[in-house]
Amino acid sequence: MCVTAVESRPAGGGTSHALKAVGELGARQSPSHRPFGARVKAFVALTKPRIIELLLITTVPVMFLAQQGVPDLKLVLLTCIGGYLSAGGANALNMYIDRDIDALMDRTSQRPLVTGMVSPRECLAFGITLAVVSTLLFGFTVNWLSAWLSLGALLFYVVVYTMILKRRTSQNIVWGGIAGCMPVLIGWSSVTDSMSWAPVILFLVMFFWTPPHYWPLSMKVREDYARVGVPMLPVIASNKVVARQIVIYSWVMVVVSLLLTPLGYTGWFYTAVALAAGGWWLWEAHALQNRAKAEATGAKLKEMRLFHWSITYVSLLFVAVAVDPFLR
């Protein structure tokens, strides 16, 4: 595993210049230039809804597994709302902290703080409000174990990943990804108000899934990260090294995903899906490694094939988690 530390701010005063530009743009945005509809869309965008969709995909199926059937639908709804608000608050606070580098990266140049549609102060207040509301919602309508797990995930993402790891080490996404694994635990605890080996195993699946899911995207946009001094692994290591790490994590992920069945939590259906989807993942991971070894670059590297498949993989796996109890 390659670990490194780098300067956490771009050289040449780029960050301070970007922050100043963001502030000036926000100040220039008068109410007439920030219509209500556009403002609503901007605040929704702060929550990164597409990412939250993936988090909910890993939350609800675990509730079916914990219930060994259909969980209380009101509980599912409350858990989803609480999860959305908590993850949305974390994402908003992430954008507040990263507004300097977001202004310098092509892939984040249209985020609400960069365009001035939302001011930094508004974003900070919005993120904190969502964090408080989501914690109280979980505590008073679901249970306090789920509330503390949710708050812990938010704080880990904002403080440990965004503020400490992201700009300092290539292991940022490895350990920072823990926050994205927490919905699995929350889904289980919302039904049982306790923990078990099943959610821990699925937590580990998501832990080992996150790096090989995100590193291909980082390979695609490595210049963006390099420009702002964020040491994602593809920035500081060759494609061969990154691809080898992807293969290692992929094998561990697939092996861990198969542990649910021998421990008695799942049956033949989940096992079949895990084997088929995991086998295809490994095929794609090794294919990427082979292209990297052949020194393919640009479009020939086809790194985004694995990124897109990774989303399909996790969706299929967790659908199987939800369906399996009905076929046993």
Side-chain angles (χ1 to χ4, degrees):
M1 303 293 288
C2 186
V3 181
T4 188
V6 301
E7 173 60 39
S8 63
R9 294 287 189 261
T15 299
S16 60
H17 177 75
L19 274 173
K20 182 178 179 181
V22 171
E24 290 175 350
L25 181 56
R28 290 198 301 268
Q29 288 276 14
S30 65
S32 61
H33 292 141
R34 298 194 294 178
F36 178 76
R39 292 265 286 163
V40 170
K41 290 181 180 179
F43 277 100
V44 172
L46 289 177
T47 67
K48 301 182 184 177
R50 293 191 67 181
I51 293 178
I52 294 177
E53 288 176 11
L54 187 62
L55 297 180
L56 295 181
I57 285 173
T58 64
T59 303
V60 176
V62 177
M63 298 179 72
F64 280 76
L65 182 64
Q67 187 68 43
Q68 284 296 298
V70 180
D72 181 81
L73 296 182
K74 181 181 178 182
L75 181 64
V76 173
L77 179 62
L78 290 170
T79 302
C80 287
I81 293 174
Y84 184 95
L85 295 178
S86 179
N91 290 329
L93 294 173
N94 167 267
M95 287 197 196
Y96 173 80
I97 296 166
D98 277 351
R99 65 193 188 279
D100 56 344
I101 60 176
D102 282 350
L104 299 174
M105 295 176 65
D106 293 337
R107 62 184 292 265
T108 56
S109 62
Q110 295 303 308
R111 285 182 173 175
L113 268 70
V114 180
T115 63
M117 191 58 67
V118 177
S119 72
R121 180 178 298 180
E122 290 172 331
C123 180
L124 179 62
F126 181 65
I128 293 174
T129 299
L130 291 185
V132 172
V133 170
S134 64
T135 304
L136 295 177
L137 178 65
F138 265 121
F140 287 111
T141 67
V142 181
N143 56 59
W144 284 103
L145 175 58
S146 298
W148 300 133
L149 288 171
S150 174
L151 181 60
L154 183 150
L155 293 175
F156 195 94
Y157 182 68
V158 173
V159 178
V160 178
Y161 171 66
T162 306
M163 298 179 67
I164 299 176
L165 296 177
K166 183 174 182 178
R167 308 192 194 197
R168 289 179 172 84
T169 171
S170 63
Q171 295 296 289
N172 47 20
I173 202 65
V174 175
W175 300 106
I178 288 175
C181 306
M182 295 297 283
V184 173
L185 303 184
I186 294 169
W188 186 275
S189 67
S190 66
V191 173
T192 67
D193 198 12
S194 65
M195 278 292 108
S196 177
W197 280 112
V200 172
I201 290 170
L202 290 171
F203 175 97
L204 291 174
V205 170
M206 294 305 297
F207 177 79
F208 291 111
W209 171 87
T210 302
H213 157 71
Y214 199 79
W215 280 333
L217 176 62
S218 300
M219 294 168 78
K220 179 74 172 179
V221 297
R222 66 156 52 89
E223 292 183 4
D224 252 5
Y225 284 119
R227 186 184 308 123
V228 296
V230 174
M232 290 296 178
L233 184 60
V235 173
I236 58 91
S238 68
N239 287 339
K240 293 180 184 179
V241 171
V242 177
R244 182 169 66 248
Q245 292 296 311
I246 286 174
V247 167
I248 292 172
Y249 274 92
S250 297
W251 271 100
V252 177
M253 177 197 71
V254 172
V255 171
V256 171
S257 73
L258 296 173
L259 294 179
L260 284 176
T261 302
L263 292 178
Y265 291 106
T266 53
W268 68 268
F269 181 75
Y270 171 84
T271 304
V273 173
L275 283 171
W280 187 260
W281 175 298
L282 293 174
W283 175 275
E284 289 288 352
H286 280 279
L288 176 60
Q289 184 181 36
N290 290 336
R291 291 191 293 271
K293 286 181 177 179
E295 299 185 350
T297 58
K300 293 182 179 180
L301 185 59
K302 300 178 182 179
E303 68 276 1
M304 293 299 285
R305 283 175 58 98
L306 184 59
F307 173 78
H308 292 305
W309 169 248
S310 68
I311 299 172
T312 303
Y313 168 84
V314 81
S315 301
L316 290 173
L317 192 73
F318 278 85
V319 166
V321 166
V323 172
D324 189 84
F326 299 99
L327 301 176
R328 299 183 67 188

